[in-house]
Amino acid sequence: MDAISIIASSRRNGNCKQIVDKITEGIIENGGTNNIYFIEDMNIRGCQGCRRCKDLDNPTKCILDDDFNRVMEKIEEGRALIFAAPNYFGEINAQGHLFMDRFFSMTKTTPNRLKDNPKAVIIHTYGASQGHYDEYINSRTRRFTSIGFDVVDVLSVGENKPSKGDGSKVLLKAKEIGLNL
């Protein structure tokens, strides 16, 4: 399986990146590839609310010409998405929110919903105790399914792991996800 990873964290070697690297190991061992992108290096604008994507008489994909549309085109070509974002103060960080904000152009009320239900893995890291934000993470994950993703795994990783404490179970699970993707 070929995948694209979108990392919302600005920490280049933080928890999100460490987990994505382990998933990548599994993908490569299984003969696939994974291209990793950091949102802060991409040109992605927030939704402008123009509603052109909602015009059913003249359907169009999001009219913003930026990296979000290019990533989604690659995913439609048969790649899986791995999305990793930290939660800060109970919410997904700003970079992650910016990326997901553009899902508005791909809802059921547009002609732009993803075709063929590409696979997705969702990763959220946070400093609170393990499981503390699971309800929030599950509500965010539903946004991925609402635009056509088949979410095959969700990693809710608390307690600042794998950077702090024993993150070996998390990293083993991440590699397993990559092998099975």
Side-chain angles (χ1 to χ4, degrees):
M1 170 66 58
D2 292 327
I4 292 175
S5 288
I6 302 295
I7 299 177
S9 176
S10 58
R11 293 176 55 221
R12 298 288 175 167
N13 294 305
N15 295 327
C16 289
K17 177 70 163 58
Q18 290 177 55
I19 294 167
V20 168
D21 284 347
K22 277 297 180 186
I23 292 173
T24 302
E25 280 183 31
I27 291 170
I28 290 171
E29 280 185 31
N30 209 18
T33 63
N34 185 22
N35 294 324
I36 300 171
Y37 301 96
F38 284 85
I39 290 176
E40 70 178 25
D41 295 336
M42 302 172 80
N43 173 27
I44 298 178
R45 295 176 56 198
C47 175
Q48 304 297 297
C50 71
R51 301 189 60 83
R52 294 273 308 274
C53 60
K54 305 287 186 194
D55 182 357
L56 298 180
D57 294 328
N58 186 18
T60 182
K61 292 191 179 230
C62 182
I63 62 168
L64 296 177
D65 182 22
D66 65 7
D67 290 333
F68 176 83
N69 287 336
R70 287 182 267 294
V71 165
M72 298 315 282
E73 286 171 8
K74 289 179 190 249
I75 290 167
E76 285 188 316
E77 292 170 2
R79 295 189 174 129
L81 172 67
I82 300 162
F83 179 81
N87 281 8
Y88 297 146
F89 201 55
E91 300 273 342
I92 191 171
N93 71 337
Q95 295 92 325
H97 187 80
L98 175 68
F99 186 82
M100 291 179 67
D101 186 48
R102 294 287 292 285
F103 288 178
F104 180 74
S105 68
M106 303 175 74
T107 63
K108 293 177 187 176
T109 60
T110 71
N112 306 319
R113 211 162 175 252
L114 289 169
K115 316 275 185 290
D116 301 323
N117 300 100
K119 293 179 181 181
V121 174
I122 312 302
I123 303 158
H124 284 277
T125 61
Y126 48 93
S129 61
Q130 183 62 40
H132 185 80
Y133 292 117
D134 284 357
E135 184 177 329
Y136 173 77
I137 290 166
N138 289 333
S139 74
R140 293 309 244 171
T141 298
R142 284 192 292 276
R143 295 188 187 193
F144 287 85
T145 58
S146 75
I147 66 166
F149 279 108
D150 174 16
V151 177
V152 296
D153 224 317
V154 177
L155 281 179
S156 167
V157 183
E159 301 170 358
N160 288 315
K161 291 184 180 176
S163 293
K164 307 272 182 178
D166 183 11
S168 59
K169 288 181 184 177
V170 169
L171 296 176
L172 283 172
K173 174 68 175 166
K175 186 166 182 183
E176 179 185 316
I177 290 169
L179 287 167
N180 294 322
L181 194 55

